[in-house]
């Protein structure tokens, strides 16, 4: 199939992406490729990562279903939680939570909880790239990632290659 091409601009604007419905059909790798290829549209920022939240919810639903049927606890997002903490500590990736009747992907901070959408654009970009690499890690793939540390601060630069190694 067609590969994924992405350009991470130093100037980013990602509006809030509310999860108002849940559609497993939007979680396919083909859908992810389509999201990333739509970068060529003038307003690509609005499409770039629209299924990341649904992917996170689907993994947590799978874990819940597994626990209900087997009694065994499972955390399919453990690696993502660990990577999130390595890059964004003291923030912690919680995952899906219903907040005032709204589906949110929650991040815990020392000052309280907030939705994933309220991370900085750089934090979102890095975390969403990690999520997308996590999504395709079991597929036969060759990933070319030129200057993954570009636009990162020096403290995060040294963490990117070990994180990519963990995702393989």
């Amino acid at each position: 199939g067609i590969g994924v091409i992405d350009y991470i601009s130093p100037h980013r604007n990602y509006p809030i992406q509310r999860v108002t419905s849940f559609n497993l059909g939007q979680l396919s790798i083909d859908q992810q490729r389509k999201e990333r290829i739509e970068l060529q549209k003038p307003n690509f920022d609005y499409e770039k990562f629209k299924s990341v939240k649904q992917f996170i919810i689907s993994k947590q639903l799978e874990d819940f279903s597994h626990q209900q049927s087997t009694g065994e606890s499972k955390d399919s997002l453990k690696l993502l939680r660990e990577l999130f903490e390595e890059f964004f500590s003291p923030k912690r990736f919680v995952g899906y939570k219903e907040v005032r009747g709204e589906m949110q992907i929650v991040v815990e901070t020392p000052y309280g909880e907030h939705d994933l959408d309220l991370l900085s654009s750089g934090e979102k970009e890095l975390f969403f790239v990690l999520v997308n690499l996590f999504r395709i890690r079991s597929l036969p793939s060759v990933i070319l990632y030129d200057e993954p540390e570009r636009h990162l601060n020096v403290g995060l630069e040294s963490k990117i290659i070990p994180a990519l190694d963990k995702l393989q």
Side-chain angles (χ1 to χ4, degrees), residues 79-97:
L79 176 58
L80 284 177
R81 292 179 207 286
E82 291 169 2
L83 291 173
F84 188 93
E85 192 166 321
E86 284 180 35
F87 281 94
F88 310 121
S89 183
K91 295 178 184 177
R92 193 174 70 81
F93 173 61
V94 175
Y96 169 75
K97 217 177 190 186

Side-chain angles (χ1 to χ4, degrees), residues 46-62:
Y46 296 95
E47 301 292 325
K48 191 169 182 182
F49 297 113
K50 71 181 180 185
S51 69
V52 167
K53 285 184 169 185
Q54 290 195 8
F55 170 75
I56 290 168
I57 293 169
S58 76
K59 296 311 277 181
Q60 290 188 275
L61 284 173
E62 285 175 19

Side-chain angles (χ1 to χ4, degrees), residues 93-153:
F93 173 61
V94 175
Y96 169 75
K97 217 177 190 186
E98 188 174 326
V99 179
R100 293 180 296 284
E102 183 179 307
M103 291 188 277
Q104 291 189 3
I105 305 301
V106 173
V107 171
E108 183 181 275
T109 75
Y111 308 104
E113 295 180 340
H114 63 72
D115 189 77
L116 195 62
D117 284 325
L118 297 181
L119 292 174
S120 73
S121 63
E123 289 172 325
K124 276 193 265 190
E125 185 74 50
L126 180 57
F127 183 63
F128 291 177
V129 166
L130 293 174
V131 169
N132 284 326
L133 290 173
F134 179 83
R135 285 171 76 176
I136 66 170
R137 75 182 196 273
S138 63
L139 298 176
S141 308
V142 174
I143 298 171
L144 304 175
Y145 199 168
D146 185 28
E147 297 182 289
E149 77 286 351
R150 189 174 181 148
H151 309 303
L152 288 178
N153 71 43

